[in-house]
């Protein structure tokens, strides 16, 4: 039997050939051994078990065809929680964890005296943002929407697994919130923001759902939809939080200034120094 180390390195050539980070094999094996309560690092030089060898070889055969690791595993870690994913939902990204952390800090400050925070995650996908926020902040009363019934089914599965009481609604962006006549303290949205003509890397273009990726000619279509809906769904004092494309700061700040001249807008950089988060704060009195 090959050792765990040998298992990892026998795929080096193929990973290099397909321009996939070599680290992918080790991360995949780490998850497989974690599932079987094997400490990979204590056993790295030991012979691998037959069951792990079979699962690893089958999974790596998919990975070298550019299938994302999270889809091969069937889950992705997000904010410390295992989030089930499949081809019906986007894989949660690390930068989105930063959005969650920023929201938690800002809601702590804005709603210190509130018994509850009425919140909605628009375009929830796997439910990662909604579930992480609800797990981390017990005051959150979370509603989540998505136009895809299949995505909502995945999100509901995750909510049950994490024991989080999130209310899910199927519909286009904010429309279900309008129909339910909800008034919210917090609206979160990580919409499709890639311009329609942008070329994507193969692992994204071939496997992840395009409905969750592309945001119209300039990538701003769905932000405009949420901005238009905001007066109907927000309380006077409220926060909107968005993930944005790294090069969309100026265009979105112009959109916000036109739609909400009295609101405070701020774009925050991620850990890599890229403009990736937009926050719009309503201090009260400007919503009709």
């Amino acid at each position: 039997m090959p050792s765990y180390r040998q298992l990892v390195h026998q795929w080096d050539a193929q990973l290099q050939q397909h321009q996939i980070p070599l680290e992918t094999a080790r991360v995949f094996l780490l998850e497989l051994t974690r599932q079987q309560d094997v400490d990979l690092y204590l056993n790295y030089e030991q012979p691998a078990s037959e069951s792990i060898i079979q699962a690893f070889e089958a999974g790596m055969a998919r990975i070298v065809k550019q299938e994302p690791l999270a889809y091969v595993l069937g889950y992705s870690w997000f904010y410390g929680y295992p989030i089930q994913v499949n081809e019906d939902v986007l894989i949660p990204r690390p930068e989105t964890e930063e959005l969650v952390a920023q929201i938690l800090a800002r809601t702590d400050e804005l709603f210190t005296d509130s018994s509850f925070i009425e919140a909605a995650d628009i375009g929830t996908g796997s439910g990662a943002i909604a579930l992480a926020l609800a797990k981390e902040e017990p005051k959150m009363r979370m509603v989540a929407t998505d136009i895809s019934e299949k995505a909502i089914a995945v999100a509901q599965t995750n909510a049950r697994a994490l024991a989080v009481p999130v209310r899910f609604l199927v519909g286009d962006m904010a429309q279900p919130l309008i129909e339910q006549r909800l008034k919210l303290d917090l609206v979160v949205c990580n919409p499709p923001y890639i311009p329609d003509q942008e070329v994507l890397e193969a692992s994204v273009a071939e496997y992840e759902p395009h409905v969750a990726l592309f945001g119209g000619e300039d990538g701003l279509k769905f932000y405009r939809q949420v901005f238009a809906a905001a007066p109907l769904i927000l309380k006077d004092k409220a926060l909107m939080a968005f993930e944005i494309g790294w090069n969309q700061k100026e265009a979105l700040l112009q959109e916000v200034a036109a739609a909400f001249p009295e609101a405070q807008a701020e774009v925050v950089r991620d850990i890599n120094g890229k403009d990736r988060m937009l926050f719009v704060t309503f201090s009260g009195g400007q919503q009709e």
Side-chain angles (χ1 to χ4, degrees):
M1 294 282 189
S3 68
Y4 290 103
R5 178 190 292 277
Q6 289 169 329
L7 268 186
V8 168
H9 291 296
Q10 71 185 23
W11 288 88
D12 285 357
Q14 288 199 57
L15 289 171
Q16 288 177 322
Q17 177 186 345
H18 296 285
Q19 298 183 318
I20 299 169
L22 295 181
E23 182 75 357
T24 305
R26 189 191 61 80
V27 172
F28 180 40
L29 186 57
L30 179 63
E31 290 297 329
L32 292 180
T33 52
R34 188 203 308 269
Q35 292 170 16
Q36 295 195 20
D37 293 323
V38 174
D39 188 316
L40 177 61
Y41 299 110
L42 288 179
N43 294 279
Y44 208 38
E45 305 297 342
Q46 302 302 313
S49 71
E50 183 62 35
S51 61
I52 286 180
I53 292 172
Q54 290 180 359
F56 182 75
E57 297 290 340
M60 288 302 300
R62 295 164 62 184
I63 288 169
V64 295
K65 293 179 180 177
Q66 302 290 344
E67 186 171 352
L69 173 60
Y71 288 161
V72 175
L73 286 168
Y75 63 89
S76 178
W77 290 94
F78 183 81
Y79 220 79
Y81 301 107
I83 299 294
Q84 293 185 42
V85 294
N86 60 25
E87 66 279 358
D88 296 319
V89 297
L90 285 185
I91 299 163
R93 267 53 176 187
E95 54 265 32
T96 308
E97 294 178 317
E98 296 184 60
L99 177 66
V100 168
Q102 284 276 342
I103 292 168
L104 290 169
R106 288 163 188 262
T107 52
D108 272 351
E109 184 176 333
L110 277 173
F111 306 114
T112 302
D113 300 325
S114 301
S115 299
F116 298 101
I117 300 170
E118 304 291 348
D121 177 23
I122 297 175
T124 195
S126 67
I129 293 175
L131 297 173
L133 287 172
K135 288 287 282 188
E136 294 293 317
E137 176 49 79
K139 293 198 298 186
M140 291 276 182
R141 287 179 168 175
M142 182 65 68
V143 178
T145 76
D146 204 285
I147 196 170
S148 166
E149 292 186 13
K150 291 181 177 180
I152 288 291
V154 174
Q156 288 173 325
T157 297
N158 282 318
R160 287 192 294 270
L162 296 175
V164 185
V166 173
R167 181 183 177 195
F168 293 99
L169 301 172
V170 177
D172 190 8
M173 298 301 288
Q175 193 58 37
L177 307 175
I178 296 171
E179 292 170 359
Q180 295 288 321
R181 300 182 182 277
L182 298 180
K183 287 293 184 178
L184 303 161
D185 301 297
L186 169 67
V187 165
V188 186
C189 186
N190 180 10
Y193 54 71
I194 299 173
D196 287 348
Q197 301 306 313
E198 187 167 318
V199 177
L200 304 177
E201 58 185 85
S203 63
V204 176
E206 293 177 17
Y207 290 97
E208 299 200 57
H210 286 199
V211 68
L213 291 169
F214 294 104
E217 185 175 347
D218 61 358
L220 304 184
K221 172 183 175 180
F222 296 108
Y223 297 100
R224 296 188 183 101
Q225 287 187 16
V226 177
F227 294 165
L232 301 175
I233 61 175
L234 290 182
K235 297 179 183 179
D236 289 346
K237 180 181 179 181
L239 174 68
M240 291 196 298
F242 302 87
E243 185 169 314
I244 68 175
W246 63 271
N247 59 351
Q248 294 173 330
K249 173 182 176 178
E250 296 305 327
L252 279 171
L253 287 177
Q254 290 178 16
E255 295 277 349
V256 172
F260 315 110
E262 296 180 40
Q264 178 186 349
E266 181 185 5
V267 170
V268 176
R269 292 179 177 178
D270 65 12
I271 196 171
N272 297 312
K274 295 182 178 180
D275 296 317
R276 294 305 305 270
M277 293 163 273
L278 168 67
F279 299 93
V280 184
T281 305
F282 303 92
S283 57
Q286 56 264 46
Q287 293 294 342
E288 298 180 2

